[in-house]
Each structure stands twice: as structure tokens, then as C-alpha cells.
Amino acid sequence: MVKASQRQWTKFGIVLALYLLFLLWLRSWLGLVVVPFIFDAYITKKIPWYWWKSSKNPMVLTVMGWVDAIVFALVAVYFVNLYFFQNYVIPSSSLEKSLLVGDYLFVSKMSYGARIPQTPLHMPLTQHTLPVLDCKSYLEWIRWDYKRVEALGKVQLNDIVVFNFPAGDSVAYNVQAQDLYGLAYQAGKELSKPVDMSQLTLEQQRQVFDFYYQTGRKYISENEDLYGKVIYRPVDRRENYVKRCVGLPGQTLEIKNRVVYLDGQPNKEPDNVQYRYLVQTKGMLPDDLCHELGISAEDLAAYYPNESVYNMPLTAKTKEALLARKDCVVSIQDVPEDDMGGLYPLNKLTGWTVDNYGPLWIPKKGATLELTLDNLPYYERCIRSYEGNSLEVKDDGIYINGQPATSYTFRMDYYWMMGDNRHNSADSRFWGFVPEDHIVGKPIFVWLSLDKDRGWLDGKIRWNRLFKWVDSIR
């Protein structure tokens, strides 16, 4: 062994100290198995880490130089994405006009505490599917329990949050945009005779909803050519969503005439909240006016030329600006209230709509809830799917893990997430609570913003949004 120099020992000491601090932050000493390799890389040098540098073949030097750089970059990106920061692009209009389609976000994992990966064997820079090969980008040979490192803070009311889609644990491969549960209920209803649910008891309603789901689930399995294979995804491999947190653990949420109330008090609406309106016009709206007001091609899609009416989302500011344009706008009216179908919970008759929803209590870690057939549909997915219990309803009551249960104590905090584009957002009103183990991180700022409706020489880059702080978007 070649005697190590003072410089080598100094480098080793610095790297080892930083690595041990990292393990202390993670509260995981499994990583100590790496220490001997760090020692060898700096001191003993028994393993020929850079064997290729001694080669006299220029091709070997060039190729291995690139391989070394690429491997180092992938490893660095892997750890940075897992524990510190990650890039995220807004794919849909659910948060417009607060965040726009084409906004690229710098998301902090440290804000709410980075999760230890539950599927550590996965390809960096992919979520669940390998491009081109169209197969899973992760292996499930190793599965770790949920654990989160020390955070800089907690999810606050009205924070914009990135999280894994809770209902995305099971999906039909050919219809991945819709969760399997909603898909099965929809298919089961269409295949069954209509039932007047209002005339049934709670127990009878539950039986009908269970029949819908089982019928639809069987139909999906038997029609794999149409729906594709049903696949399961671990929590950290589910789709990433971004919404605004409008309800915290332990609060009672209710939406009355579009306004969100928490524990009976109205919550502040986002500055750029949007609702749908019927806009009566004198023909199609001019393109320059739409560009000036930030009205996208997607906003204009629902146009009825025979009536000269747009069904479009508007902020209060945009609505006021359009009303002032008497030369092209006749009137603006609210869109008639509609439940839009498939509201959470799918297996209960509530009469709720997207504008008048609840009241609904949001589960809190350590809180105990008295269980009844009436409130069970709201919380059974939390109990069964998110917290891993078996749950059955028998003639003599509710059974959890084979034991009679009249109450349940929650093991996690839950959140209620909604989009600012309130009539064009698939959010908690459709798929329910977001468990704490699904929280990914907090967007910090917009580092790039591209307008898909514009060309590169026609305002594609939204310069005014570059490096815009997300915390300022309220």
C-alpha cells in the first residue's frame, strides 16, 4: 500500500465528515457500508477505480472518460432529486392563472422533509416508465417503509404543493389518465340497470355501490385489449400532481357557493382563482385581446358559434376586463351548477357539487373517529389503502383487521388539495384526501415558462414569469 499523503487524509476527512452528517440527517446508518469504499478511494486505493486512465489506447480513454462523467452526473442527479431539489413542469391548467401550463418549477424536497425512497432501485430522471422501452423504470426487489427526514417546515394553508396522486396506486395501462376506482365505478354503472339510490337504506346503498365497482372491475379485467393490463404502483412511483392545499389535518372543510370554509370560517381565495362563465360575444374574440388578457387556446376551446357563446374559465380581473369590451362582449353569466360526476366519495350518495361540497372532516394523526355506516365511505380508503388495514362491513358491524371496530385512530396526517382553476381541476373533490406519505415537496420558483400557443419568435418564452417566486403567488 502506498503511503497516503497529508492532502489525501484531509480530503478523506472532509468527505467522510460530510457523508456522516448526511447519514445523521437521514437518520439511517445503513449507509455506513459505503465508508470502507470511501476510505479505499482516498487512502488505500486497493480497488482500481480509474483503471482506464493507465491505458495507452486513445479510444478507451475517450469512451471511459465519457462513461465516468455520465455515471457521476447520474449519481449526483439521483441524490439531488431524491433529497434536495427536483425540476417539475406544469402539465395541465388546474392551477391557472396562478401557475401556467409550461411553467417549469424548482421544487424543494427539504421544505417538508425529503422521503427515503420506498423503491430505491429506479432509473434516475424517470417517474414510473422508461421511455422508448415502455416498461417499469423501477424494481421492487427492495421495498422500504415510509420515512421522512427532518424538514425545514410543514405544509401550510394555501401552500402550493407537489404530491403523488393518491388514487394512482392502481391504473389500467391504456387509460392511465383516470384512476382505476373511478374507471370501475363508471363502467359498472353503465353496465347495470339504473337504481333510485334515494329510496335505499345506507346498507343497501353500500351494496349497490360495491356491485357497481365489482362489475366494472371485472369488465376491465376481461377487456384487457381495450383497457390494458391493470398495474400497481408504489407511493413514490405514482404520478406527480401539483395543487394548492386548502385544508389541513383536523379541520372541517365545506364549500358553500364556491367559497371554501374551514371550521366555519371562509378561507382566503387565491388572487387568480378561476371559475367558468358563459361569455356571450359578437363573434369570436380577437386574438390580440386574448393574448393581452392571458386567455389560452384551451380556455377558448368550448365555443358555440351558432350562439356566439364561450364556456370559459375567467379570473375576476379578466371577467371585468371583458365586460368593459362592449365592442365584442355582450354579457357574462355564471355556468349553471353541476356536480360534474364522480365526486368523492364515489360509494356514497351525498348530493354534493363542486361548488357546494361537504362538510367533511380532514383526518389528523393521532385523532380518533367514531365509525358509522354513514361516515365510513369518507374514510375507508384512508383506513384500507393508505394505512394498510383490512376492512369489512358485516351484518353486525364494521370489522378492521378481523376485529369489530366502532372507532379508528389515524396514523397519518391528511390534506385537502384543490386547483385554482376551480371548474377545470381534478382534485380532492374527485379523489379525496392526500396522505402525508404522498407529499413530495414545495415549489420555490418558476425558472422557465413556455407558452405552448406561441412560436419561438412570437412570445413563446414568458419572460415576465422567469424566476418568479411561488410563495408570492397567493
Side-chain angles (χ1 to χ4, degrees):
M1 179 180 73
V2 179
K3 186 177 179 180
S5 66
Q6 182 66 37
R7 185 178 180 183
Q8 286 174 287
W9 279 104
T10 301
K11 285 183 177 180
F12 168 70
I14 293 172
V15 172
L16 180 62
L18 292 173
Y19 184 67
L20 292 177
L21 285 173
F22 177 67
L23 293 183
L24 181 64
W25 180 54
L26 295 184
R27 290 176 296 174
S28 173
W29 300 112
L30 183 64
L32 288 174
V33 298
V34 177
V35 171
F37 296 98
I38 298 176
F39 183 77
D40 180 77
Y42 286 94
I43 306 300
T44 58
K45 300 185 181 295
K46 293 288 185 182
I47 301 174
W49 299 98
Y50 297 103
W51 59 267
W52 49 273
K53 286 190 175 182
S54 60
S55 175
K56 295 181 180 180
N57 187 326
M59 180 65 72
V60 171
L61 289 171
T62 301
V63 171
M64 290 308 300
W66 277 103
V67 169
D68 178 64
I70 291 170
V71 169
F72 177 81
L74 285 175
V75 171
V77 167
Y78 176 82
F79 280 99
V80 169
N81 278 356
L82 276 183
Y83 300 112
F84 299 100
F85 304 102
Q86 187 173 359
N87 176 51
Y88 182 82
V89 61
I90 299 293
S92 70
S93 61
S94 68
L95 271 171
E96 291 200 354
K97 296 296 193 243
S98 300
L99 291 176
L100 307 181
V101 173
D103 279 351
Y104 286 77
L105 305 177
F106 191 70
V107 177
S108 166
K109 299 286 188 75
M110 300 182 294
S111 295
Y112 305 134
R115 293 176 302 183
I116 303 298
Q118 290 161 283
T119 50
L121 301 178
H122 68 270
M123 181 63 68
L125 304 179
T126 63
Q127 183 59 20
H128 50 67
T129 304
L130 281 176
V132 182
L133 297 178
D134 196 30
C135 63
K136 289 197 303 185
S137 64
Y138 58 93
L139 299 175
E140 298 184 71
W141 299 343
I142 300 176
R143 291 285 297 275
W144 291 342
D145 293 334
Y146 166 63
K147 183 181 177 183
R148 194 178 289 274
V149 303
E150 198 67 31
L152 298 177
K154 294 183 178 181
V155 177
Q156 302 294 320
L157 191 63
N158 296 322
D159 274 0
I160 294 176
V161 181
V162 175
F163 57 93
N164 295 120
F165 180 36
D169 53 347
S170 297
V171 295
Y173 197 79
N174 293 348
V175 200
Q176 296 188 42
Q178 188 171 355
D179 67 276
L180 182 66
Y181 308 98
L183 198 63
Y185 275 114
Q186 179 182 336
K189 270 189 173 182
E190 291 174 356
L191 292 168
S192 306
K193 293 181 180 180
V195 177
D196 185 359
M197 303 290 284
S198 63
Q199 303 300 314
L200 305 180
T201 65
L202 288 174
E203 187 173 352
Q204 290 171 332
Q205 287 182 21
R206 184 180 183 85
Q207 290 172 354
V208 172
F209 282 119
D210 283 347
F211 177 78
Y212 285 160
Y213 176 74
Q214 296 300 334
T215 301
R217 186 68 179 80
K218 181 181 178 183
Y219 180 76
I220 290 170
S221 298
E222 292 174 347
N223 290 271
E224 195 170 300
D225 56 329
L226 176 63
Y227 291 97
K229 186 178 180 180
V230 173
I231 55 176
Y232 170 81
R233 287 178 179 149
V235 171
D236 57 342
R237 297 296 104 201
R238 296 169 193 173
E239 291 286 358
N240 287 326
Y241 274 35
V242 57
K243 307 285 181 187
R244 190 182 296 276
C245 177
V246 300
L248 295 174
Q251 293 183 320
T252 297
L253 176 141
E254 185 174 10
I255 303 173
K256 294 189 287 187
N257 298 322
R258 299 182 174 178
V259 178
V260 175
Y261 287 77
L262 297 171
D263 297 329
Q265 299 299 314
N267 184 35
K268 178 189 178 297
E269 283 201 319
D271 296 336
N272 288 311
V273 68
Q274 289 196 129
Y275 297 103
R276 281 199 165 272
Y277 297 93
L278 298 177
V279 182
Q280 181 82 45
T281 62
K282 299 176 181 178
M284 297 184 70
L285 292 174
D287 184 65
D288 59 341
L289 175 62
C290 295
H291 187 48
E292 176 189 342
L293 297 179
I295 299 173
S296 68
E298 182 181 340
D299 296 338
L300 298 169
Y303 176 62
Y304 307 98
N306 292 337
E307 303 167 13
S308 291
V309 170
Y310 287 92
N311 184 334
M312 61 192 301
L314 300 172
T315 64
K317 185 177 179 180
T318 306
K319 178 184 175 184
E320 184 178 342
L322 282 178
L323 281 172
R325 291 295 301 264
K326 303 297 184 183
D327 58 319
C328 55
V329 176
V330 177
S331 65
I332 300 179
Q333 298 177 353
D334 289 350
V335 169
E337 189 174 18
D338 183 8
D339 66 5
M340 296 171 67
L343 292 179
Y344 182 86
L346 295 172
N347 59 344
K348 181 177 173 63
L349 188 67
T350 62
W352 297 348
T353 69
V354 292
D355 293 334
N356 288 278
Y357 188 98
L360 184 64
W361 178 75
I362 304 171
K364 182 177 182 179
K365 183 177 181 178
T368 299
L369 175 74
E370 297 298 320
L371 291 178
T372 65
L373 285 180
D374 187 42
N375 67 17
L376 183 62
Y378 306 134
Y379 305 105
E380 63 179 301
R381 183 158 173 76
C382 300
I383 297 170
R384 180 187 285 127
S385 301
Y386 303 145
E387 303 203 354
N389 302 285
S390 65
L391 187 151
E392 293 180 275
V393 177
K394 300 181 180 180
D395 292 339
D396 58 343
I398 300 168
Y399 283 73
I400 297 178
N401 298 326
Q403 301 297 318
T406 57
S407 64
Y408 181 78
T409 301
F410 292 93
R411 300 200 297 268
M412 288 193 292
D413 282 330
Y414 291 81
Y415 302 88
W416 196 261
M417 306 289 186
M418 287 173 57
D420 293 352
N421 194 354
R422 293 289 166 83
H423 288 158
N424 193 28
S425 172
D427 51 37
S428 285
R429 292 169 295 179
F430 294 87
W431 34 255
F433 308 105
V434 176
E436 65 173 63
D437 67 343
H438 284 58
I439 300 296
V440 172
K442 180 179 182 179
I444 303 300
F445 61 83
V446 177
W447 65 270
L448 177 65
S449 185
L450 301 178
D451 189 340
K452 63 184 179 68
D453 296 333
R454 300 282 161 178
W456 289 104
L457 301 178
D458 185 31
K460 189 173 188 65
I461 299 177
R462 304 185 187 104
W463 296 102
N464 64 322
R465 295 190 64 79
L466 267 58
F467 302 104
K468 184 179 182 69
W469 293 97
V470 175
D471 260 350
S472 66
I473 301 173
R474 290 292 177 180

